[in-house]
Amino acid sequence: MSNPQLRLPDYVDLRLLGRCNLECPFCFGPRHEVPSMSERTAMRVVATVREAGVRGVVISGGEPTLLPYLPRLVEALSRPLPSGEPGPKVVLSTNGLAPLRSMERILPHLAWIALPIESADDEEHRALRIGKAPHRDRVLRLLHEVRKNHARVRVKLGTVVTRRNVDGAPGVLDLIEDERSLPDVWKIYQMSETNYGEDNKELLSISDTAFEQVVERCEKAAANRGVRLRVYRNAGRSGSYLFIDPDCQVVVVQGGRERRVGNLFELDTDIELAVDSARNVGNFVGTYPDA
């Protein structure tokens, strides 16, 4: 049974699986071998977060479109509450490789879709998005499709800055020639040293100073195209997130590190989750604004 008295932050990240059809060396999601959340359990999680009054959910992984039940989950999560109030705002964070026919079943239930492009330089991008080619072209096709036929769904384009793409990251928007296909938000991430990112930090980590130099160039590029820029810095990660992992463990970030605090269905209503309300809201609303 879910706990209707459970207090959760306004915004949570649901990491349904570790499995992915890419092998990105900077990934901070669960390990690929982690078993996927079953549909039955995922629907229990949906009921729990809705009862807890969660206002927005980012669905990620791993790659969530690999789960056959994903269309049913996003529909159940996004439907109006029994009170008649709107359901949580649903964001799908995907690598963009799912066939369009599959996405057509998911897109009607989304508020936002988050898509990744790491560099305007093809070689740099391939070094970071490993496993399917041409990944970048497929992401751009999906972006154009969403803009053309699903205007209600807003788009966040994400770029993770590592040591391998400092040259090409600021040019990502140059890949989008049609002004009508530009994203609503372009978010620049400093690579986090978590999970696979920790494994490869010696190869990929970027200093704060080097990251700010890339940010400065991205700010100019975004201003030139009239795109809202959002910047993620590792220094601001603590307290901003609550993740629900495939095994239903609740994960928070303290001191820049992920900490598992217990099973979602066994949490005490008064447990200290180490989530800062202002940071949690600011992170989500800044990335996925209403207008």
Side-chain angles (χ1 to χ4, degrees), residues 91-135:
V91 180
L92 177 66
S93 180
T94 172
N95 61 28
L97 290 173
L100 183 57
R101 64 181 179 277
S102 298
M103 292 303 303
E104 291 288 354
R105 300 173 58 204
I106 299 168
L107 285 163
H109 308 295
L110 301 180
W112 284 78
I113 187 169
L115 298 169
I117 297 181
E118 312 310 338
S119 179
D121 180 88
D122 185 62
E123 184 176 347
E124 287 183 357
H125 182 85
R126 287 173 183 261
L128 294 172
R129 289 285 171 178
I130 300 169
K132 295 281 185 179
H135 171 263

Side-chain angles (χ1 to χ4, degrees), residues 19 57 109 111 122 164 200 202 207 214 216 233 259 264:
R19 182 164 54 99
V57 179
H109 308 295
D122 185 62
R164 297 292 298 272
N200 297 295
E202 297 300 325
S207 70
V214 176
E216 183 177 356
R233 297 173 173 89
R259 180 172 73 89
L264 176 70

Side-chain angles (χ1 to χ4, degrees), residues 231-245:
V231 180
Y232 163 97
R233 297 173 173 89
N234 286 334
R237 191 168 187 246
S238 293
S240 298
Y241 296 94
L242 184 142
F243 300 104
I244 303 172
D245 270 2

